[in-house]
Amino acid sequence: MKNYFIFLFVSICFLFSFTSCSLVQESNNYGISNNLLFNVGLKDTKVCFTKSKSAKELYWVSVSRKIPKDDNIIEATLRELFLGPTKSEELKGIMTEIPTGTRLIKIEESEDEIVIDVSNQYTTGGGAATMQLRYLQVYKTLKKLAPQKKIYMLVEGKTLKAIGGEGLEVSQPLTKVTDYTEKYEKIEDLQP
C-alpha cells in the first residue's frame, strides 16, 4: 500500500512538471465557477462582443477564450462567439447581438479564403442596427484571426445576401460595413 501512494505522488509530480498544466479560475457560460480547472493543452483566442455604458455609448470589446490547442482556431473561435458572453461578462455589461441558438454548421478554409455556414437563427430578429452589429461581430472576430483571407458566409448552405427584415445587404466576400458604433467606438481587451 505504501508503494501505491509513492507511485501516485510521483505520478502527480510528473504530471505537473512535464505538461503545460496551469490552475486558473474559470467561469463557464452557465455561471458555474470551477476553482481548479486544469488547462492542459489550451490556447487563447479572442471574440468580439459589444459593451454598453448607456444608450449612446456602445463599444467593441475583445474577450479572451480558452480553446483546445488541437482544434481549428477559426472553428473553435466561432463556436465561442456563438455561445455568447459568460454570466460574469454579462454582469460587466458585455452583450452579443447574435441570437441564442446560432450554430456553426461547417467551415471550409483554404490558403486565402474562409467559408462559414451558420444556422438560420443568425438571420432572425432585430432591426438595422442589430443586424449591422451582428454582422460585424463575425467579421471583426474572423479578421483578427485571418486578416488577409477573404470571408464568405452561408446560412443553411445558401449564400447570405441580406440579414433580417430590414435587409442589411451582405456582399460576398464579406467587407466592413458602415459601423453603427464608429461614433462611439473604443476597443477594450477584457480578461474576465
Side-chain angles (χ1 to χ4, degrees):
M1 188 70 158
K2 183 177 177 183
N3 287 338
Y4 173 76
F5 287 116
I6 292 172
F7 175 76
L8 183 62
F9 177 76
V10 170
S11 297
I12 291 172
C13 289
F14 179 79
L15 175 69
F16 283 106
S17 298
F18 296 103
T19 65
S20 59
C21 282
S22 61
L23 296 175
V24 296
Q25 183 165 349
E26 187 82 23
S27 179
N28 65 20
N29 277 322
Y30 305 103
I32 299 168
S33 179
N34 303 316
N35 290 328
L36 296 177
L37 178 68
F38 289 90
N39 287 322
V40 178
L42 297 179
K43 61 185 172 185
D44 288 319
T45 191
K46 295 194 183 258
V47 294
C48 289
F49 293 126
T50 56
K51 184 175 181 181
S52 178
K53 292 185 180 178
S54 71
K56 292 188 176 187
E57 287 187 283
L58 188 63
Y59 305 94
W60 287 107
V61 292
S62 183
V63 179
S64 290
R65 290 285 188 269
K66 298 252 185 237
I67 59 173
K69 75 174 182 178
D70 294 333
D71 283 6
N72 174 294
I73 193 161
I74 304 286
E75 183 175 345
T77 301
L78 283 174
R79 289 187 197 286
E80 288 295 322
L81 176 67
F82 294 160
L83 283 173
T86 63
K87 296 294 180 197
S88 63
E89 290 166 351
E90 287 175 353
L91 291 173
K92 295 176 185 176
I94 296 172
M95 306 173 297
T96 185
E97 295 299 336
I98 297 172
T100 303
T102 300
R103 300 176 287 105
L104 179 63
I105 296 171
K106 75 175 182 177
I107 183 169
E108 294 175 5
E109 189 175 356
S110 69
E111 200 171 294
D112 56 350
E113 292 180 351
I114 299 170
V115 179
I116 62 170
D117 189 1
V118 299
S119 62
N120 62 5
Q121 288 89 344
Y122 181 80
T123 61
T124 60
T130 297
M131 295 303 165
Q132 198 175 69
L133 293 171
R134 183 178 303 172
Y135 173 93
L136 286 168
Q137 276 186 257
V138 171
Y139 179 81
K140 286 177 178 265
T141 297
L142 289 176
K143 278 300 185 180
K144 282 186 178 194
L145 293 171
Q148 304 305 318
K149 292 189 179 188
K150 293 178 182 174
I151 303 165
Y152 296 86
M153 184 180 252
L154 309 174
V155 174
E156 303 280 342
K158 296 178 184 170
T159 301
L160 181 63
K161 295 180 180 176
I163 306 175
E166 295 181 28
L168 171 67
E169 239 180 82
V170 176
S171 63
Q172 299 284 348
L174 304 184
T175 57
K176 188 171 189 233
V177 296
T178 304
D179 190 341
Y180 174 79
T181 66
E182 277 183 352
K183 183 174 179 185
Y184 309 104
E185 183 174 342
K186 294 180 182 173
I187 300 294
E188 292 182 14
D189 278 336
L190 295 181
Q191 302 296 325

